[in-house]
Short mmCIF file of all heavy atoms in Angstrom, two decimals:
data_model
loop_
_atom_site.label_atom_id
_atom_site.label_comp_id
_atom_site.label_asym_id
_atom_site.label_seq_id
_atom_site.Cartn_x
_atom_site.Cartn_y
_atom_site.Cartn_z
N ASN A 112 -41.04 -76.68 -29.54
CA ASN A 112 -41.20 -77.95 -30.26
C ASN A 112 -39.98 -78.86 -30.08
O ASN A 112 -40.11 -80.09 -30.14
CB ASN A 112 -41.38 -77.69 -31.76
CG ASN A 112 -42.60 -76.84 -32.03
OD1 ASN A 112 -42.48 -75.71 -32.52
ND2 ASN A 112 -43.78 -77.32 -31.69
N GLY A 113 -38.83 -78.23 -29.88
CA GLY A 113 -37.61 -79.02 -29.72
C GLY A 113 -36.80 -78.51 -28.55
O GLY A 113 -36.83 -77.31 -28.25
N ILE A 114 -36.09 -79.42 -27.87
CA ILE A 114 -35.25 -79.02 -26.73
C ILE A 114 -33.83 -79.50 -27.01
O ILE A 114 -33.60 -80.69 -27.29
CB ILE A 114 -35.75 -79.67 -25.41
CG1 ILE A 114 -37.20 -79.28 -25.14
CG2 ILE A 114 -34.85 -79.28 -24.25
CD1 ILE A 114 -37.85 -80.06 -24.00
N LEU A 115 -32.90 -78.55 -26.93
CA LEU A 115 -31.50 -78.91 -27.12
C LEU A 115 -30.74 -78.55 -25.85
O LEU A 115 -30.80 -77.41 -25.40
CB LEU A 115 -30.94 -78.11 -28.30
CG LEU A 115 -29.47 -78.33 -28.57
CD1 LEU A 115 -29.23 -78.40 -30.04
CD2 LEU A 115 -28.60 -77.25 -27.96
N VAL A 116 -30.08 -79.53 -25.26
CA VAL A 116 -29.21 -79.26 -24.11
C VAL A 116 -27.78 -79.38 -24.63
O VAL A 116 -27.37 -80.46 -25.10
CB VAL A 116 -29.46 -80.26 -22.97
CG1 VAL A 116 -28.51 -80.00 -21.81
CG2 VAL A 116 -30.91 -80.18 -22.49
N GLN A 117 -27.05 -78.27 -24.60
CA GLN A 117 -25.70 -78.31 -25.16
C GLN A 117 -24.78 -79.15 -24.26
O GLN A 117 -24.68 -78.92 -23.06
CB GLN A 117 -25.15 -76.87 -25.29
CG GLN A 117 -23.79 -76.79 -25.96
CD GLN A 117 -23.81 -77.27 -27.41
OE1 GLN A 117 -24.68 -76.92 -28.19
NE2 GLN A 117 -22.84 -78.11 -27.77
N LEU A 118 -24.13 -80.12 -24.87
CA LEU A 118 -23.18 -80.98 -24.15
C LEU A 118 -21.75 -80.51 -24.44
O LEU A 118 -21.53 -79.91 -25.49
CB LEU A 118 -23.36 -82.44 -24.59
CG LEU A 118 -24.76 -83.03 -24.36
CD1 LEU A 118 -24.80 -84.47 -24.86
CD2 LEU A 118 -25.15 -82.97 -22.89
N PRO A 119 -20.78 -80.77 -23.59
CA PRO A 119 -20.91 -81.49 -22.33
C PRO A 119 -21.48 -80.60 -21.23
O PRO A 119 -21.29 -79.39 -21.26
CB PRO A 119 -19.46 -81.88 -22.01
CG PRO A 119 -18.62 -80.80 -22.62
CD PRO A 119 -19.36 -80.37 -23.87
N LEU A 120 -22.16 -81.24 -20.28
CA LEU A 120 -22.63 -80.49 -19.11
C LEU A 120 -21.48 -80.39 -18.11
O LEU A 120 -20.58 -81.24 -18.11
CB LEU A 120 -23.81 -81.24 -18.46
CG LEU A 120 -25.12 -81.23 -19.24
CD1 LEU A 120 -26.16 -82.10 -18.56
CD2 LEU A 120 -25.65 -79.80 -19.41
N PRO A 121 -21.50 -79.34 -17.27
CA PRO A 121 -20.43 -79.23 -16.26
C PRO A 121 -20.38 -80.47 -15.37
O PRO A 121 -21.39 -81.15 -15.20
CB PRO A 121 -20.85 -77.99 -15.46
CG PRO A 121 -21.78 -77.22 -16.33
CD PRO A 121 -22.46 -78.24 -17.21
N LYS A 122 -19.19 -80.72 -14.82
CA LYS A 122 -19.00 -81.89 -13.93
C LYS A 122 -20.01 -81.87 -12.80
O LYS A 122 -20.38 -80.80 -12.32
CB LYS A 122 -17.58 -81.84 -13.34
CG LYS A 122 -16.54 -82.35 -14.28
CD LYS A 122 -15.30 -82.87 -13.55
CE LYS A 122 -14.37 -83.59 -14.49
NZ LYS A 122 -13.90 -82.77 -15.63
N GLY A 123 -20.48 -83.03 -12.41
CA GLY A 123 -21.43 -83.10 -11.29
C GLY A 123 -22.86 -83.24 -11.78
O GLY A 123 -23.73 -83.66 -11.03
N LEU A 124 -23.11 -82.91 -13.05
CA LEU A 124 -24.47 -83.08 -13.59
C LEU A 124 -24.52 -84.39 -14.37
O LEU A 124 -23.55 -84.74 -15.06
CB LEU A 124 -24.85 -81.90 -14.48
CG LEU A 124 -25.00 -80.55 -13.75
CD1 LEU A 124 -25.18 -79.41 -14.72
CD2 LEU A 124 -26.17 -80.60 -12.77
N ASN A 125 -25.65 -85.07 -14.27
CA ASN A 125 -25.79 -86.38 -14.91
C ASN A 125 -26.43 -86.20 -16.30
O ASN A 125 -27.63 -86.04 -16.42
CB ASN A 125 -26.65 -87.27 -14.00
CG ASN A 125 -26.85 -88.67 -14.58
OD1 ASN A 125 -26.69 -88.90 -15.78
ND2 ASN A 125 -27.20 -89.60 -13.72
N GLU A 126 -25.54 -86.24 -17.32
CA GLU A 126 -25.99 -85.97 -18.71
C GLU A 126 -27.07 -86.94 -19.15
O GLU A 126 -28.07 -86.56 -19.75
CB GLU A 126 -24.81 -86.11 -19.68
CG GLU A 126 -24.07 -84.84 -19.85
CD GLU A 126 -22.88 -84.96 -20.80
OE1 GLU A 126 -22.75 -85.96 -21.51
OE2 GLU A 126 -22.10 -83.98 -20.81
N LYS A 127 -26.84 -88.22 -18.86
CA LYS A 127 -27.76 -89.26 -19.33
C LYS A 127 -29.16 -89.01 -18.78
O LYS A 127 -30.16 -89.08 -19.51
CB LYS A 127 -27.23 -90.62 -18.89
CG LYS A 127 -27.68 -91.73 -19.78
CD LYS A 127 -26.88 -92.97 -19.51
CE LYS A 127 -27.48 -94.13 -20.26
NZ LYS A 127 -26.83 -95.38 -19.90
N GLU A 128 -29.24 -88.70 -17.49
CA GLU A 128 -30.54 -88.49 -16.87
C GLU A 128 -31.23 -87.27 -17.50
O GLU A 128 -32.44 -87.28 -17.76
CB GLU A 128 -30.38 -88.29 -15.35
CG GLU A 128 -31.70 -88.34 -14.61
CD GLU A 128 -31.58 -88.03 -13.12
OE1 GLU A 128 -30.55 -87.45 -12.69
OE2 GLU A 128 -32.52 -88.34 -12.39
N VAL A 129 -30.45 -86.23 -17.77
CA VAL A 129 -31.02 -85.01 -18.36
C VAL A 129 -31.54 -85.30 -19.78
O VAL A 129 -32.67 -84.97 -20.12
CB VAL A 129 -29.97 -83.87 -18.38
CG1 VAL A 129 -30.48 -82.67 -19.17
CG2 VAL A 129 -29.59 -83.46 -16.96
N MET A 130 -30.71 -85.98 -20.58
CA MET A 130 -31.12 -86.27 -21.97
C MET A 130 -32.34 -87.17 -22.01
O MET A 130 -33.23 -87.01 -22.84
CB MET A 130 -29.97 -86.91 -22.77
CG MET A 130 -28.68 -86.12 -22.82
SD MET A 130 -28.88 -84.38 -23.15
CE MET A 130 -29.08 -84.38 -24.89
N ASN A 131 -32.38 -88.14 -21.07
CA ASN A 131 -33.52 -89.07 -21.03
C ASN A 131 -34.81 -88.42 -20.55
O ASN A 131 -35.89 -88.96 -20.76
CB ASN A 131 -33.19 -90.28 -20.13
CG ASN A 131 -32.16 -91.19 -20.77
OD1 ASN A 131 -31.72 -90.94 -21.89
ND2 ASN A 131 -31.74 -92.21 -20.06
N ARG A 132 -34.68 -87.24 -19.93
CA ARG A 132 -35.87 -86.55 -19.41
C ARG A 132 -36.61 -85.80 -20.53
O ARG A 132 -37.79 -85.50 -20.42
CB ARG A 132 -35.43 -85.56 -18.32
CG ARG A 132 -36.55 -84.95 -17.55
CD ARG A 132 -37.14 -85.98 -16.57
NE ARG A 132 -37.82 -85.32 -15.46
CZ ARG A 132 -37.52 -85.52 -14.19
NH1 ARG A 132 -36.60 -86.37 -13.83
NH2 ARG A 132 -38.18 -84.86 -13.25
N ILE A 133 -35.89 -85.49 -21.64
CA ILE A 133 -36.53 -84.76 -22.75
C ILE A 133 -37.57 -85.68 -23.39
O ILE A 133 -37.28 -86.84 -23.71
CB ILE A 133 -35.47 -84.33 -23.80
CG1 ILE A 133 -34.45 -83.37 -23.15
CG2 ILE A 133 -36.12 -83.68 -25.02
CD1 ILE A 133 -33.24 -83.06 -24.02
N LYS A 134 -38.79 -85.15 -23.57
CA LYS A 134 -39.85 -85.95 -24.21
C LYS A 134 -39.40 -86.41 -25.59
O LYS A 134 -38.86 -85.59 -26.36
CB LYS A 134 -41.07 -85.05 -24.44
CG LYS A 134 -42.12 -85.07 -23.37
CD LYS A 134 -43.33 -84.32 -23.93
CE LYS A 134 -44.36 -84.04 -22.89
NZ LYS A 134 -45.39 -83.13 -23.41
N PRO A 135 -39.65 -87.66 -25.95
CA PRO A 135 -39.19 -88.15 -27.26
C PRO A 135 -39.62 -87.24 -28.42
O PRO A 135 -38.85 -87.03 -29.35
CB PRO A 135 -39.84 -89.53 -27.38
CG PRO A 135 -40.04 -89.96 -25.97
CD PRO A 135 -40.30 -88.72 -25.17
N GLU A 136 -40.83 -86.67 -28.36
CA GLU A 136 -41.28 -85.84 -29.48
C GLU A 136 -40.59 -84.49 -29.56
O GLU A 136 -40.74 -83.76 -30.53
CB GLU A 136 -42.81 -85.66 -29.47
CG GLU A 136 -43.41 -85.08 -28.21
CD GLU A 136 -43.86 -86.15 -27.23
OE1 GLU A 136 -43.17 -87.17 -27.07
OE2 GLU A 136 -44.92 -85.96 -26.61
N LYS A 137 -39.79 -84.15 -28.50
CA LYS A 137 -39.03 -82.88 -28.53
C LYS A 137 -37.52 -83.13 -28.58
O LYS A 137 -36.74 -82.19 -28.51
CB LYS A 137 -39.40 -82.04 -27.30
CG LYS A 137 -40.87 -81.61 -27.29
CD LYS A 137 -41.16 -80.50 -26.29
CE LYS A 137 -42.65 -80.12 -26.37
NZ LYS A 137 -42.96 -78.94 -25.55
N ASP A 138 -37.11 -84.38 -28.73
CA ASP A 138 -35.69 -84.74 -28.68
C ASP A 138 -35.05 -84.51 -30.06
O ASP A 138 -34.69 -85.46 -30.77
CB ASP A 138 -35.54 -86.21 -28.24
CG ASP A 138 -34.09 -86.65 -28.23
OD1 ASP A 138 -33.20 -85.80 -28.18
OD2 ASP A 138 -33.86 -87.88 -28.27
N VAL A 139 -34.89 -83.23 -30.43
CA VAL A 139 -34.42 -82.93 -31.79
C VAL A 139 -32.94 -83.23 -32.00
O VAL A 139 -32.47 -83.27 -33.14
CB VAL A 139 -34.73 -81.46 -32.17
CG1 VAL A 139 -36.21 -81.27 -32.42
CG2 VAL A 139 -34.24 -80.48 -31.10
N ASP A 140 -32.20 -83.48 -30.91
CA ASP A 140 -30.81 -83.92 -31.07
C ASP A 140 -30.76 -85.40 -31.41
O ASP A 140 -29.76 -85.90 -31.93
CB ASP A 140 -30.03 -83.69 -29.76
CG ASP A 140 -29.06 -82.52 -29.88
OD1 ASP A 140 -28.68 -82.19 -31.01
OD2 ASP A 140 -28.69 -81.97 -28.83
N GLY A 141 -31.84 -86.10 -31.07
CA GLY A 141 -31.90 -87.53 -31.36
C GLY A 141 -30.98 -88.37 -30.49
O GLY A 141 -30.55 -89.45 -30.91
N PHE A 142 -30.68 -87.91 -29.28
CA PHE A 142 -29.73 -88.64 -28.41
C PHE A 142 -30.45 -89.56 -27.42
O PHE A 142 -29.80 -90.33 -26.73
CB PHE A 142 -28.87 -87.67 -27.60
CG PHE A 142 -27.92 -86.84 -28.42
CD1 PHE A 142 -27.31 -85.72 -27.88
CD2 PHE A 142 -27.62 -87.18 -29.73
CE1 PHE A 142 -26.43 -84.95 -28.62
CE2 PHE A 142 -26.74 -86.42 -30.49
CZ PHE A 142 -26.14 -85.30 -29.93
N GLY A 143 -31.75 -89.43 -27.29
CA GLY A 143 -32.48 -90.21 -26.27
C GLY A 143 -32.74 -91.64 -26.73
O GLY A 143 -32.58 -91.98 -27.92
N PRO A 144 -33.16 -92.51 -25.79
CA PRO A 144 -33.36 -93.93 -26.12
C PRO A 144 -34.45 -94.17 -27.16
O PRO A 144 -34.34 -95.09 -27.97
CB PRO A 144 -33.75 -94.56 -24.78
CG PRO A 144 -34.03 -93.45 -23.85
CD PRO A 144 -33.38 -92.21 -24.37
N ASP A 145 -35.48 -93.32 -27.19
CA ASP A 145 -36.56 -93.51 -28.16
C ASP A 145 -36.01 -93.30 -29.58
O ASP A 145 -36.19 -94.15 -30.47
CB ASP A 145 -37.69 -92.50 -27.86
CG ASP A 145 -38.89 -92.72 -28.74
OD1 ASP A 145 -39.74 -93.54 -28.36
OD2 ASP A 145 -38.97 -92.09 -29.82
N ALA A 146 -35.30 -92.17 -29.77
CA ALA A 146 -34.76 -91.86 -31.11
C ALA A 146 -33.75 -92.92 -31.53
O ALA A 146 -33.77 -93.40 -32.69
CB ALA A 146 -34.12 -90.48 -31.10
N LEU A 147 -32.87 -93.30 -30.60
CA LEU A 147 -31.83 -94.27 -30.97
C LEU A 147 -32.43 -95.66 -31.21
O LEU A 147 -31.98 -96.37 -32.12
CB LEU A 147 -30.74 -94.31 -29.89
CG LEU A 147 -29.92 -93.01 -29.80
CD1 LEU A 147 -29.04 -93.00 -28.55
CD2 LEU A 147 -29.06 -92.81 -31.04
N GLY A 148 -33.46 -96.00 -30.44
CA GLY A 148 -34.14 -97.29 -30.65
C GLY A 148 -34.78 -97.32 -32.04
O GLY A 148 -34.69 -98.32 -32.76
N LYS A 149 -35.42 -96.22 -32.41
CA LYS A 149 -36.08 -96.17 -33.73
C LYS A 149 -35.05 -96.26 -34.85
O LYS A 149 -35.31 -96.85 -35.90
CB LYS A 149 -36.90 -94.89 -33.84
CG LYS A 149 -38.20 -95.02 -33.04
CD LYS A 149 -39.04 -93.79 -33.09
CE LYS A 149 -40.40 -94.11 -32.50
NZ LYS A 149 -41.01 -92.98 -31.85
N LEU A 150 -33.89 -95.68 -34.60
CA LEU A 150 -32.83 -95.75 -35.61
C LEU A 150 -32.42 -97.21 -35.84
O LEU A 150 -32.29 -97.67 -36.98
CB LEU A 150 -31.63 -94.91 -35.13
CG LEU A 150 -30.46 -94.75 -36.07
CD1 LEU A 150 -30.87 -94.02 -37.33
CD2 LEU A 150 -29.34 -93.98 -35.38
N VAL A 151 -32.27 -97.94 -34.76
CA VAL A 151 -31.89 -99.37 -34.87
C VAL A 151 -33.00 -100.16 -35.56
O VAL A 151 -32.74 -101.05 -36.38
CB VAL A 151 -31.60 -99.97 -33.47
CG1 VAL A 151 -31.35 -101.47 -33.57
CG2 VAL A 151 -30.42 -99.28 -32.83
N LEU A 152 -34.25 -99.80 -35.25
CA LEU A 152 -35.40 -100.53 -35.80
C LEU A 152 -35.78 -100.09 -37.21
O LEU A 152 -36.74 -100.61 -37.78
CB LEU A 152 -36.61 -100.36 -34.87
CG LEU A 152 -36.44 -100.98 -33.47
CD1 LEU A 152 -37.50 -100.47 -32.52
CD2 LEU A 152 -36.47 -102.50 -33.55
N ASP A 153 -35.06 -99.09 -37.74
CA ASP A 153 -35.39 -98.51 -39.06
C ASP A 153 -36.82 -97.98 -39.08
O ASP A 153 -37.55 -98.15 -40.06
CB ASP A 153 -35.20 -99.53 -40.19
CG ASP A 153 -33.74 -99.70 -40.54
OD1 ASP A 153 -32.98 -98.72 -40.40
OD2 ASP A 153 -33.34 -100.81 -40.94
N GLU A 154 -37.20 -97.35 -37.98
CA GLU A 154 -38.53 -96.71 -37.90
C GLU A 154 -38.33 -95.20 -37.97
O GLU A 154 -37.27 -94.70 -37.59
CB GLU A 154 -39.19 -97.07 -36.56
CG GLU A 154 -39.69 -98.49 -36.52
CD GLU A 154 -40.29 -98.85 -35.17
OE1 GLU A 154 -40.51 -97.95 -34.34
OE2 GLU A 154 -40.51 -100.05 -34.96
N PRO A 155 -39.35 -94.45 -38.44
CA PRO A 155 -39.20 -93.00 -38.49
C PRO A 155 -38.95 -92.42 -37.10
O PRO A 155 -39.62 -92.82 -36.14
CB PRO A 155 -40.54 -92.51 -39.04
CG PRO A 155 -41.19 -93.69 -39.64
CD PRO A 155 -40.66 -94.90 -38.92
N GLY A 156 -37.99 -91.53 -36.99
CA GLY A 156 -37.67 -90.91 -35.70
C GLY A 156 -36.62 -89.84 -35.95
O GLY A 156 -36.11 -89.71 -37.07
N PHE A 157 -36.29 -89.08 -34.89
CA PHE A 157 -35.25 -88.06 -35.06
C PHE A 157 -33.89 -88.72 -35.21
O PHE A 157 -33.51 -89.56 -34.40
CB PHE A 157 -35.22 -87.11 -33.87
CG PHE A 157 -36.47 -86.30 -33.74
CD1 PHE A 157 -37.29 -86.41 -32.63
CD2 PHE A 157 -36.84 -85.41 -34.73
CE1 PHE A 157 -38.44 -85.67 -32.51
CE2 PHE A 157 -37.99 -84.65 -34.63
CZ PHE A 157 -38.80 -84.78 -33.51
N ILE A 158 -33.17 -88.31 -36.25
CA ILE A 158 -31.84 -88.86 -36.49
C ILE A 158 -30.81 -87.89 -35.91
O ILE A 158 -30.91 -86.68 -36.15
CB ILE A 158 -31.61 -89.07 -38.01
CG1 ILE A 158 -32.63 -90.08 -38.54
CG2 ILE A 158 -30.19 -89.51 -38.30
CD1 ILE A 158 -32.63 -90.22 -40.05
N PRO A 159 -29.84 -88.37 -35.13
CA PRO A 159 -28.83 -87.47 -34.57
C PRO A 159 -28.20 -86.61 -35.68
O PRO A 159 -27.92 -87.09 -36.79
CB PRO A 159 -27.81 -88.41 -33.93
CG PRO A 159 -28.58 -89.66 -33.63
CD PRO A 159 -29.61 -89.77 -34.72
N CYS A 160 -28.03 -85.33 -35.36
CA CYS A 160 -27.76 -84.33 -36.41
C CYS A 160 -26.43 -84.51 -37.15
O CYS A 160 -26.38 -84.34 -38.37
CB CYS A 160 -27.81 -82.93 -35.79
SG CYS A 160 -29.38 -82.64 -34.94
N THR A 161 -25.36 -84.82 -36.44
CA THR A 161 -24.05 -84.91 -37.13
C THR A 161 -24.01 -86.08 -38.11
O THR A 161 -23.66 -85.90 -39.29
CB THR A 161 -22.91 -84.98 -36.10
OG1 THR A 161 -23.02 -83.84 -35.24
CG2 THR A 161 -21.55 -85.00 -36.76
N PRO A 162 -24.40 -87.30 -37.69
CA PRO A 162 -24.42 -88.39 -38.68
C PRO A 162 -25.42 -88.16 -39.80
O PRO A 162 -25.14 -88.49 -40.96
CB PRO A 162 -24.82 -89.62 -37.86
CG PRO A 162 -25.04 -89.19 -36.47
CD PRO A 162 -24.64 -87.78 -36.30
N HIS A 163 -26.55 -87.54 -39.48
CA HIS A 163 -27.54 -87.24 -40.53
C HIS A 163 -26.91 -86.28 -41.55
O HIS A 163 -27.06 -86.45 -42.77
CB HIS A 163 -28.78 -86.61 -39.88
CG HIS A 163 -30.00 -86.66 -40.72
ND1 HIS A 163 -31.18 -86.07 -40.36
CD2 HIS A 163 -30.24 -87.22 -41.94
CE1 HIS A 163 -32.08 -86.27 -41.29
NE2 HIS A 163 -31.54 -86.96 -42.27
N GLY A 164 -26.19 -85.29 -41.03
CA GLY A 164 -25.51 -84.32 -41.91
C GLY A 164 -24.49 -85.00 -42.80
O GLY A 164 -24.35 -84.67 -43.99
N ALA A 165 -23.77 -85.98 -42.25
CA ALA A 165 -22.77 -86.70 -43.04
C ALA A 165 -23.45 -87.43 -44.20
O ALA A 165 -22.98 -87.41 -45.35
CB ALA A 165 -22.02 -87.70 -42.15
N MET A 166 -24.59 -88.07 -43.92
CA MET A 166 -25.33 -88.79 -44.96
C MET A 166 -25.83 -87.83 -46.03
O MET A 166 -25.83 -88.15 -47.23
CB MET A 166 -26.50 -89.57 -44.34
CG MET A 166 -26.11 -90.66 -43.38
SD MET A 166 -24.98 -91.90 -44.05
CE MET A 166 -26.03 -92.75 -45.22
N LYS A 167 -26.30 -86.66 -45.59
CA LYS A 167 -26.81 -85.67 -46.55
C LYS A 167 -25.70 -85.16 -47.46
O LYS A 167 -25.93 -84.83 -48.64
CB LYS A 167 -27.47 -84.49 -45.81
CG LYS A 167 -28.79 -84.85 -45.16
CD LYS A 167 -29.90 -84.93 -46.21
CE LYS A 167 -31.20 -85.43 -45.63
NZ LYS A 167 -32.20 -85.79 -46.62
N MET A 168 -24.48 -85.06 -46.94
CA MET A 168 -23.37 -84.62 -47.80
C MET A 168 -23.07 -85.68 -48.86
O MET A 168 -22.84 -85.34 -50.03
CB MET A 168 -22.11 -84.34 -46.95
CG MET A 168 -22.20 -83.05 -46.17
SD MET A 168 -20.61 -82.51 -45.50
CE MET A 168 -20.44 -83.61 -44.10
N LEU A 169 -23.09 -86.95 -48.45
CA LEU A 169 -22.86 -88.02 -49.44
C LEU A 169 -23.92 -87.95 -50.53
O LEU A 169 -23.62 -88.01 -51.73
CB LEU A 169 -22.90 -89.40 -48.76
CG LEU A 169 -21.77 -89.73 -47.77
CD1 LEU A 169 -22.03 -91.07 -47.09
CD2 LEU A 169 -20.41 -89.77 -48.49
N GLU A 170 -25.17 -87.80 -50.08
CA GLU A 170 -26.30 -87.74 -51.03
C GLU A 170 -26.15 -86.55 -51.99
O GLU A 170 -26.34 -86.71 -53.20
CB GLU A 170 -27.58 -87.59 -50.20
CG GLU A 170 -28.88 -87.74 -50.95
CD GLU A 170 -30.07 -87.47 -50.02
OE1 GLU A 170 -30.13 -88.03 -48.91
OE2 GLU A 170 -30.92 -86.66 -50.43
N ALA A 171 -25.77 -85.40 -51.45
CA ALA A 171 -25.66 -84.19 -52.28
C ALA A 171 -24.61 -84.35 -53.38
O ALA A 171 -24.69 -83.72 -54.43
CB ALA A 171 -25.34 -82.99 -51.40
N TYR A 172 -23.60 -85.19 -53.13
CA TYR A 172 -22.54 -85.38 -54.12
C TYR A 172 -22.71 -86.69 -54.90
O TYR A 172 -21.79 -87.16 -55.57
CB TYR A 172 -21.16 -85.27 -53.45
CG TYR A 172 -20.82 -83.81 -53.20
CD1 TYR A 172 -21.37 -83.12 -52.14
CD2 TYR A 172 -20.01 -83.10 -54.09
CE1 TYR A 172 -21.11 -81.77 -51.94
CE2 TYR A 172 -19.75 -81.75 -53.91
CZ TYR A 172 -20.31 -81.10 -52.83
OH TYR A 172 -20.05 -79.76 -52.67
N GLY A 173 -23.89 -87.28 -54.77
CA GLY A 173 -24.19 -88.49 -55.56
C GLY A 173 -23.36 -89.69 -55.16
O GLY A 173 -23.11 -90.58 -55.99
N ILE A 174 -22.91 -89.73 -53.90
CA ILE A 174 -22.11 -90.87 -53.44
C ILE A 174 -23.05 -91.88 -52.79
O ILE A 174 -23.55 -91.64 -51.68
CB ILE A 174 -21.00 -90.41 -52.46
CG1 ILE A 174 -20.11 -89.36 -53.14
CG2 ILE A 174 -20.18 -91.60 -51.96
CD1 ILE A 174 -19.34 -88.49 -52.19
N ASN A 175 -23.32 -92.95 -53.50
CA ASN A 175 -24.30 -93.94 -53.03
C ASN A 175 -23.59 -95.05 -52.23
O ASN A 175 -22.77 -95.76 -52.79
CB ASN A 175 -25.02 -94.53 -54.26
CG ASN A 175 -26.10 -95.50 -53.87
OD1 ASN A 175 -26.31 -95.79 -52.68
ND2 ASN A 175 -26.80 -96.04 -54.86
#
Side-chain angles (χ1 to χ4, degrees):
N112 301 115
I114 302 170
L115 177 140
V116 178
Q117 185 64 46
L118 301 179
L120 289 175
K122 280 205 170 58
L124 293 172
N125 180 340
E126 271 179 12
K127 206 166 171 187
E128 192 185 18
V129 172
M130 303 315 279
N131 289 357
R132 190 74 157 236
I133 298 171
K134 266 190 190 170
E136 56 266 40
K137 296 194 179 187
D138 178 20
V139 287
D140 253 338
F142 294 165
D145 185 87
L147 293 169
K149 283 179 170 149
L150 185 63
V151 174
L152 295 166
D153 283 329
E154 286 177 11
F157 295 118
I158 298 172
C160 305
T161 304
H163 199 184
M166 296 304 291
K167 288 284 174 193
M168 286 194 283
L169 293 175
E170 190 184 311
Y172 282 78
I174 302 159
N175 183 357

